[in-house]
Amino acid sequence: MVSIESIREQFDELGIEPSDEVVNKCIEICINNDITDPVEFVEQWMAYSVSKLSGAEPTVAYLNEMEAHEYTSKARKLTKVSSIAATSGSIGTSPRMDSKVSKITTYRNVDSVEQDVLEMYGCITPKAKKTVSRLQHNVNTPNGVRGGGSGGSPFTTVTYSPLSASSKKNDPDAPSKAGQIVYTYGSAKLLKQFNWLPTTTDEGKEPITIDDDVSLGDRNRRTGAGRGKGIGFTIKSAQFANDGCKYMYDSSYDRVMILGDRIYECGNAICKRVALEAVKPKSHEQPAKNNDEPDVKSNSALDTPLPVKEEPASEETDVDIEREEDRLSSWFEGIKVHHVDYPSSELIRVLGRIVVESSSTTTNSSSGTTSDKQVASNRNPTTTSKLSIVDFDEHTLRYTRLDLSKVQVPSWWSLFPGQTVLLEGINPRGTLFSVKQIHCERTLALPRVPSSLDKTLTCVIASAPFTDRDDLLYEKLSSLLVYCSNNPPDVLILTGPFADANCKLYAEVAETFDEYFEKIISTIMSSIGIYTEVFVVSHHDDLVSSFVYPTPPYKVASFYKNLHFLPDPCVFNLEGVEIGITTVDVIKHLIESECTAANVTIGSAPPIGGDKIKRAYGHLFHQASFYPLNPPPEDVPLDVDMLNEFGRLNRVPNIMICPSALNRYVREINGCVCINPGFVDGHSADGSYARLIIQAPEIDEQQQRESQSDSIQPSPASYIACQIVKT
């Protein structure tokens, strides 16, 4: 029997406190429709409320709607009862109904969460649940790949959840830009002589031979087949970062000592060049100038050059004065260098490392000149920073702020944090060094002419990213592999990351990262074949790499004779051609971090300082490091100890590959061909890659002997040609 107390009791069990009007309406509905069980009525209301009203509490209006919808006629009730009774044997009933046929109806297919709520109140679902596997193909996967057939992307993988379609909306009617040449370097004659199509068949190539006197892990020389006699590839594993390296464990003391040693090494090289220029006769100075460097000596305002160390004139030298001078200064390659805090109203030289000091942490910051503040503001418009110099002294921390408003030589000066420099100027109070002249260049060891190269080499250089941000199809990389398969180069250089850890899509890959990377490498090698030497350079942002720079090389379980994993950075020798590679965007970092006043024209030609790219590469060569910037940006996990051991750049290579987010370029700088091939998948911009032709230089025996001594250097454009092509 339905009563006010029984209705309230059932609602109280569900945590609902109905008003008197609602309870009276419930009694009225039960009487009008011959309902005698209060449990059945309240459960019917809950089913209706969850399915129709999103779980709303009972009101008089909602109860009227339920009555009109459920109890309008006896015939409708009988139809529902018979329908449920027919299926009650397989579906089951609520334990509260005591074998009675339920009159509760499910109105729609609700999801699993709502269905659990209905089952709590005895609601019966006419459809059984289905277990759906989480493994689903990418929505962009072609039908052939979905069904296990052929014709889809070779890099397609299985993911835990479907991925959205690519954000790129390519117009199928628009002409494709793939294959367009956007940059060309080298002589047109060399480019016309060579056809990018293969000139020999596979049967005409020699098989790959590998030295067996070393193990696979320590192999330091591999020779692969190419056109003619084959390709000679030389590496020294001792020069590369490997698993035996302990990284990111260096103490602050060790880091400071290493940076101090770098000041001594670079400082000695800079002072050696200054000493040579000081004693060099004027008649021999002009022909030795590099064509890339302006004649800044003619504009020097230093009328009296600082002296170079000479033998004492007599033995009556004042010993006390000499000891005092030695305490306040040191000699580097015959150049007298004072400490940076040495007060002097006369011209002196100081040696140290450039640092950036925030004005908020600088005492008496208002003493800086207006020009000094303007220079710092140009470097970083958001903060008022100042440049300072840290001394070479290993026992005492010495530093002083710099006033760069009176720099006279060179007019194209450029400084960045971490740079070792030799400065000339005055420091009247010992707290602010007024710079007159900056020395930051050493005598470079120019590239060696590849005299051992006796045939023409072709090379393709491609840099990650290889796929779009919102899919894992690697469509651009697949197109590049098709090109390399149809036009097989002698060398293919690929730089990571192949699976960027910053991309969230890789969390959906239904296999381990090592297995996924192994599949990528296997797909690349099966597409290329065995007659192209493949070099894969690691990147610290890759899922399977160590998050440290320098980065050890990748590893895979399978072995391929023509596959070589290289660390980042590295320099390797290919048939006498030295190639340097780093995957970190060091050129962009240097340009963004430098403080420069390269705005003065010398003569009729613009100064070298006006070219940002040339200036950045000059920093790499003269600082003899792949990454001279210190401290680095937050996203570069720099290990100072490993960089000091594996990141040196002691000689200018023949080719320097630095993939960058900057515009694509091919430049000749200090006899080195510097290449930014762009990215294979440019995301918002067009993708690109680079292809090279390296021909044996035409020099006679006398020129060859002279080239070994660096006295003569043929132009790289005479034997190297490069094109950057859109993907």
Side-chain angles (χ1 to χ4, degrees):
M1 184 66 182
V2 177
S3 62
I4 296 177
E5 290 76 11
S6 61
I7 292 293
R8 286 188 179 276
E9 181 181 356
Q10 295 301 319
F11 277 116
D12 288 340
E13 290 181 1
L14 301 177
I16 300 175
E17 296 181 359
S19 61
D20 294 339
E21 293 82 1
V22 170
V23 174
N24 294 333
K25 184 62 179 178
C26 292
I27 297 295
E28 179 183 348
I29 294 175
C30 291
I31 294 174
N32 295 337
N33 296 279
D34 298 329
I35 299 175
T36 59
D37 188 355
V39 175
E40 178 184 343
F41 173 78
V42 174
E43 288 181 347
Q44 181 67 60
W45 158 254
M46 289 302 303
Y48 181 84
S49 174
V50 170
S51 59
K52 294 293 186 180
L53 305 176
S54 300
E57 294 187 359
T59 62
V60 175
Y62 287 156
L63 290 173
N64 288 331
E65 292 180 7
M66 186 191 72
E67 182 182 16
H69 197 278
E70 297 299 323
Y71 306 109
T72 53
S73 64
K74 187 69 175 178
R76 181 179 177 183
K77 289 198 300 180
L78 292 176
T79 303
K80 292 179 181 178
V81 170
S82 60
S83 175
I84 296 176
T87 58
S88 60
S90 59
I91 298 178
T93 59
S94 171
R96 294 187 180 184
M97 294 184 180
D98 298 331
S99 302
K100 293 183 180 180
V101 178
S102 174
K103 299 180 181 179
I104 302 174
T105 306
T106 300
Y107 299 98
R108 60 187 176 93
N109 293 329
V110 296
D111 57 18
S112 59
V113 177
E114 294 177 337
Q115 185 60 38
D116 292 339
V117 176
L118 293 176
E119 290 178 352
M120 291 174 59
Y121 302 110
C123 302
I124 302 170
T125 304
K127 293 185 179 180
K129 293 183 179 180
K130 294 182 180 180
T131 303
V132 181
S133 174
R134 294 184 64 209
L135 300 181
Q136 302 184 32
H137 281 288
N138 188 317
V139 295
N140 296 322
T141 304
N143 293 330
V145 177
R146 289 175 182 269
S150 59
S153 173
F155 293 96
T156 303
T157 186
V158 178
T159 58
Y160 284 119
S161 60
L163 305 179
S164 61
S166 176
S167 59
K168 292 185 178 181
K169 304 297 182 181
N170 296 327
D171 186 2
D173 298 331
S176 175
K177 296 182 180 180
Q180 292 184 3
I181 299 174
V182 296
Y183 210 105
T184 300
Y185 167 83
S187 64
K189 180 180 178 181
L190 180 59
L191 292 171
K192 290 180 180 179
Q193 286 178 351
F194 187 80
N195 184 7
W196 286 107
L197 297 177
T199 57
T200 59
T201 60
D202 292 347
E203 290 76 5
K205 297 181 180 180
E206 297 181 1
I208 297 176
T209 58
I210 299 178
D211 297 338
D212 295 329
D213 56 343
V214 291
S215 63
L216 175 62
D218 298 331
R219 180 176 297 122
N220 59 12
R221 179 175 177 82
R222 294 180 180 179
T223 55
R227 294 178 175 85
K229 297 181 180 179
I231 299 176
F233 165 56
T234 303
I235 62 174
K236 294 182 179 179
S237 58
Q239 297 179 353
F240 293 160
N242 49 55
D243 292 340
C245 300
K246 294 182 179 180
Y247 53 86
M248 308 302 281
Y249 290 106
D250 54 335
S251 63
S252 298
Y253 175 80
D254 294 336
R255 189 181 302 112
V256 171
M257 294 302 295
I258 291 172
L259 294 176
D261 292 341
R262 294 294 294 168
I263 295 178
Y264 271 92
E265 294 176 9
C266 293
N268 278 321
I270 295 172
C271 291
K272 184 176 181 179
R273 173 170 175 166
V274 173
L276 291 176
E277 291 179 349
V279 299
K280 187 183 300 182
K282 293 291 183 179
S283 58
H284 298 284
E285 184 176 355
Q286 184 66 24
K289 284 186 177 294
N290 193 319
N291 293 331
D292 292 337
E293 300 180 5
D295 185 7
V296 296
K297 291 293 181 181
S298 59
N299 293 344
S300 175
L302 302 178
D303 299 331
T304 305
L306 293 175
V308 180
K309 185 176 182 179
E310 299 177 355
E311 295 295 331
S314 63
E315 298 180 358
E316 299 178 357
T317 305
D318 191 339
V319 178
D320 295 335
I321 296 178
E322 185 176 355
R323 290 179 179 176
E324 180 68 14
E325 287 292 327
D326 291 340
R327 186 180 67 85
L328 299 175
S329 62
S330 298
W331 291 89
F332 290 82
E333 299 292 337
I335 301 296
K336 187 176 183 179
V337 179
H338 288 81
H339 293 298
V340 297
D341 56 353
Y342 177 73
S344 175
S345 298
E346 299 180 354
L347 284 176
I348 60 173
R349 292 189 178 102
V350 297
L351 176 67
R353 184 178 72 253
I354 298 297
V355 296
V356 177
E357 186 177 10
S358 176
S359 60
S360 60
T361 60
T362 304
T363 59
N364 195 17
S365 60
S366 61
S367 61
T369 63
T370 304
S371 299
D372 188 19
K373 295 180 181 179
Q374 182 65 30
V375 168
S377 178
N378 290 338
R379 179 188 176 275
N380 191 348
T382 60
T383 60
T384 56
S385 303
K386 296 182 182 299
L387 290 183
S388 301
I389 183 170
V390 176
D391 194 68
F392 60 87
D393 193 350
E394 294 182 345
H395 305 287
T396 305
L397 175 61
R398 305 172 185 264
Y399 76 97
T400 185
R401 293 186 293 111
L402 300 178
D403 177 13
L404 300 170
S405 62
K406 300 178 182 179
V407 177
Q408 300 169 351
V409 179
S411 59
W412 45 266
W413 60 267
S414 172
L415 302 175
F416 64 90
Q419 182 181 17
T420 300
V421 293
L422 177 68
L423 305 179
E424 295 183 13
I426 59 175
N427 192 1
R429 298 184 179 181
T431 58
L432 182 65
F433 191 88
S434 180
V435 183
K436 303 293 184 181
Q437 186 169 355
I438 300 175
H439 300 280
C440 58
E441 297 181 348
R442 66 172 68 198
T443 302
L444 296 176
L446 298 180
R448 300 184 181 94
V449 178
S451 56
S452 60
L453 181 64
D454 57 356
K455 58 181 176 296
T456 300
L457 294 179
T458 58
C459 178
V460 171
I461 305 170
S463 179
F466 295 114
T467 186
D468 199 8
R469 291 191 182 96
D470 48 11
D471 68 49
L472 303 180
L473 295 180
Y474 293 83
E475 294 177 341
K476 293 296 183 69
L477 179 58
S478 300
S479 301
L480 178 65
L481 295 178
V482 171
Y483 167 80
C484 293
S485 178
N486 297 332
N487 310 276
D490 295 312
V491 177
L492 172 62
I493 299 176
L494 301 175
T495 66
F498 291 84
D500 194 344
N502 298 317
C503 180
K504 298 180 180 180
L505 296 183
Y506 292 104
E508 300 293 335
V509 175
E511 53 190 332
T512 65
F513 295 146
D514 291 334
E515 293 173 347
Y516 184 67
F517 180 72
E518 184 99 19
K519 182 186 297 183
I520 293 176
I521 296 299
S522 175
T523 304
I524 293 174
M525 299 309 297
S526 61
S527 302
I528 293 300
I530 63 173
Y531 297 108
T532 296
E533 296 294 317
V534 181
F535 297 87
V536 178
V537 186
S538 61
H539 191 283
H540 63 271
D541 276 337
D542 216 310
L543 289 172
V544 295
S545 67
S546 301
F547 188 66
V548 64
Y549 180 81
T551 309
Y554 298 125
K555 282 185 175 181
V556 292
S558 303
F559 171 71
Y560 304 91
K561 292 183 178 181
N562 57 327
L563 175 62
H564 315 275
F565 288 116
L566 301 178
D568 176 31
C570 65
V571 177
F572 63 96
N573 189 296
L574 192 67
E575 289 288 348
V577 180
E578 291 187 347
I579 302 176
I581 305 178
T582 180
T583 59
V584 173
D585 200 347
V586 60
I587 303 301
K588 181 182 178 182
H589 295 168
L590 284 173
I591 292 176
E592 292 178 347
S593 301
E594 70 176 350
C595 175
T596 181
N599 54 2
V600 178
T601 301
I602 301 177
S604 59
I608 186 177
D611 190 331
K612 296 181 180 180
I613 303 299
K614 185 174 292 186
R615 192 167 61 238
Y617 278 98
H619 291 324
L620 298 184
F621 298 149
H622 288 288
Q623 296 293 309
S625 174
F626 273 100
Y627 202 90
L629 182 63
N630 190 286
E634 294 181 356
D635 58 344
V636 178
L638 179 65
D639 187 291
V640 176
D641 190 9
M642 289 183 64
L643 181 67
N644 184 56
E645 186 173 358
F646 305 115
R648 293 178 177 267
L649 197 58
N650 297 323
R651 172 180 285 273
V652 179
N654 298 98
I655 299 173
M656 189 76 169
I657 303 172
C658 295
S660 174
L662 302 174
N663 290 334
R664 299 162 289 223
Y665 56 80
V666 182
R667 311 291 289 276
E668 180 183 337
I669 303 172
N670 295 112
C672 174
V673 179
C674 303
I675 304 173
N676 172 21
F679 303 138
V680 172
D681 194 311
H683 292 168
S684 59
D686 295 328
S688 61
Y689 64 92
R691 57 189 185 188
L692 277 77
I693 304 172
I694 308 175
Q695 194 178 46
E698 299 178 357
I699 54 176
D700 54 26
E701 295 182 359
Q702 181 179 358
Q703 290 178 335
Q704 182 175 352
R705 289 193 299 269
E706 293 176 348
S707 64
Q708 295 297 331
S709 62
D710 294 339
S711 60
I712 183 173
Q713 293 291 333
S715 173
S718 62
Y719 60 92
I720 297 178
C722 178
Q723 291 179 337
I724 296 181
V725 187
K726 287 186 178 181
T727 56

